[in-house]
Amino acid sequence: MSDTRFRHGVVVGKFYPLHAGHAHLIRSAARQCERVTVEVIAASVESIPLAERAAWIREEHPTVRVVDHLDDTPVDFASDTAWRAHTATIAGLLDSPADAVFTSDAYGEELARRLGATWVQVDPGRIHNPISGTAIRADIAAHWHELAPAARASLAARIVVLGAESTGSTTLAAALAEELGTTWVPEYGREYSEIRDGGLDAPWRSDEFDLVVDRQMAMEDAALRRVPMPVLVCDTDVLATALWHERYVGRPAPGIRRRADGHRPALYVLTGDEIPFVQDGMRDGEHIRHAMQRRFREVLAEQSAPWLEVRGSVAERVAAVLPAVREAIVRATSFAAPLEGRPLAEQEALRGRTAGDASR
């Protein structure tokens, strides 16, 4: 027997960020409606981009129609003027009238009345899903399991460990992940070196490095969606691959460098070259290690992500990097206060500023 009761349902929210309660709300609407529109309405003062939030919903709920809109109109449930403005925005984003409004909170009753629709309250009091965006923003680590995988992938701090050959980057990546209680992504380039045609002796081609980048980023993306806390450790990344392209192909890789520019981590950790060199059968040799290390330092100094170089034993390196990692996690998972969480006078001032910007 079908659960369909309505022709067109609407779900409105900030999704700041997208969590299990939102998922339950959207799925409830999808079960009861022939079609559903999810409206993502954000304010300019909020720190997660509007398009990013809409992309999360499209990924997690591919059967619904998702629209997004930036709106700095003050949120004041006691004001008829504010209600009329918000209702006009919500109605204007619909491609046909809605006959059902799905919310958990009580504002849905008035919104449905103004839209001429039926209000469907889902999980009143949040009994089944006792979570809210406010709680998550206050302590994201404690509520990490409540986030949608797509949101986790966007919000987790990515820590990249890199360095010249035999500087202990893989050992540090594994040790750091264990200390943090999270997962780490190994270096795909090493795996590829073992299986490529011609082995280590065949000349390298640029397209092979493009392949390595594609596979490395895919591995990172998959890991970010299942990471158990808001940090992922990676053994190398796109920027390091660009430097190895220089080494083995003999010229820069502008395309890979551009991809690196668009894929900055929360923190780079460069492993020091003071430890003894160990030849494992896949490395060039100690004669180029220090030159490559200098090149890593040069390139890291030129780019915008924070970075530090660590030396000493594995334990000393982990201890040295932990404060910077914790700062990176805070930066990646801090939220600006939402519009409705600010005093009404501040909301009004914001609307005045954005209206002035729009008129210029």
Side-chain angles (χ1 to χ4, degrees):
M1 181 176 174
S2 173
D3 290 335
T4 302
R5 298 169 51 199
F6 304 101
R7 182 184 55 79
H8 185 191
V10 62
V11 176
V12 180
K14 287 184 172 295
F15 308 100
Y16 187 48
L18 181 65
H19 56 68
H22 294 136
H24 179 56
L25 182 64
I26 293 170
R27 288 175 184 139
S28 296
R31 279 194 297 269
Q32 297 182 58
C33 301
E34 294 177 10
R35 56 191 297 265
V36 173
T37 295
V38 177
E39 298 188 1
V40 186
I41 300 179
S44 60
V45 291
E46 294 158 0
S47 50
I48 300 176
L50 176 62
E52 193 169 325
R53 299 186 225 178
W56 294 344
I57 299 172
R58 292 188 181 100
E59 178 178 324
E60 299 292 333
H61 304 278
T63 65
V64 305
R65 173 179 178 258
V66 181
V67 294
D68 56 69
H69 182 74
L70 195 65
D71 186 4
D72 287 332
T73 302
V75 178
D76 182 1
F77 292 115
S79 167
D80 181 65
T81 300
W83 264 112
R84 283 189 281 108
H86 285 292
T87 304
T89 295
I90 292 166
L93 293 171
L94 297 169
D95 59 354
S96 65
D99 57 347
V101 172
F102 289 78
T103 71
S104 175
D105 296 325
Y107 76 85
E109 183 174 18
E110 179 63 15
L111 177 60
R113 184 188 71 79
R114 289 173 179 263
L115 290 174
T118 298
W119 177 40
V120 182
Q121 189 173 25
V122 177
D123 192 16
R126 295 192 175 97
I127 303 301
H128 298 295
N129 289 284
I131 191 59
S132 68
T134 301
I136 289 174
R137 290 190 297 271
D139 189 353
I140 194 169
H143 302 292
W144 189 249
H145 62 286
E146 300 281 5
L147 291 179
R152 286 183 218 147
S154 291
L155 296 173
R158 191 165 51 88
I159 310 300
V160 174
V161 183
L162 40 63
E165 290 181 328
S166 191
T167 57
S169 58
T170 299
T171 300
L172 179 58
L176 183 58
E178 182 177 4
E179 177 68 23
L180 294 168
T182 191
T183 55
W184 66 286
V185 178
E187 179 186 3
Y188 177 74
R190 184 176 180 87
E191 176 185 338
Y192 179 75
S193 297
E194 296 173 348
I195 63 173
R196 68 186 291 264
D197 291 341
L200 295 176
D201 296 328
W204 284 80
R205 306 183 314 272
S206 289
D207 63 284
E208 293 182 280
F209 288 89
D210 290 327
L211 171 66
V212 168
V213 168
D214 289 342
R215 296 288 173 82
Q216 190 74 41
M217 291 180 68
M219 290 165 61
E220 291 175 8
D221 191 61
L224 284 165
R225 280 163 168 71
R226 61 177 185 271
V227 72
M229 62 177 299
V231 59
L232 176 71
V233 180
C234 301
D235 178 16
T236 201
D237 82 332
V238 184
L239 183 61
T241 305
L243 298 189
W244 291 117
H245 180 284
E246 289 183 10
R247 165 72 184 97
Y248 290 113
V249 179
R251 63 178 183 273
I256 297 178
R257 287 296 296 270
R258 284 193 294 272
R259 294 182 73 177
D261 290 340
H263 191 59
R264 295 290 185 217
L267 177 70
Y268 278 118
V269 180
L270 178 65
T271 45
D273 59 350
E274 84 288 356
I275 61 177
F277 183 88
V278 177
Q279 179 55 266
D280 63 358
M282 296 187 67
R283 292 168 174 157
D284 282 338
E286 189 170 11
H287 63 288
I288 72 156
R289 182 170 69 150
H290 298 305
M292 280 300 297
Q293 190 76 356
R294 287 194 296 273
R295 182 64 180 139
F296 271 102
R297 292 189 192 108
E298 290 171 1
V299 170
L300 287 171
E302 293 168 355
Q303 55 82 51
S304 59
W307 71 282
L308 76 162
E309 184 170 357
V310 292
R311 295 174 176 269
S313 67
V314 175
E316 289 170 335
R317 291 178 174 199
V318 169
V321 79
L322 279 177
V325 169
R326 293 189 176 112
E327 289 177 9
I329 295 171
V330 169
R331 288 195 305 271
T333 58
S334 295
F335 300 84
L339 182 67
E340 69 276 13
R342 298 165 185 258
L344 191 57
E346 184 179 341
Q347 295 186 47
E348 292 284 4
L350 173 66
R351 180 173 60 172
R353 288 197 302 272
T354 55
D357 291 341
S359 66
R360 292 193 183 103

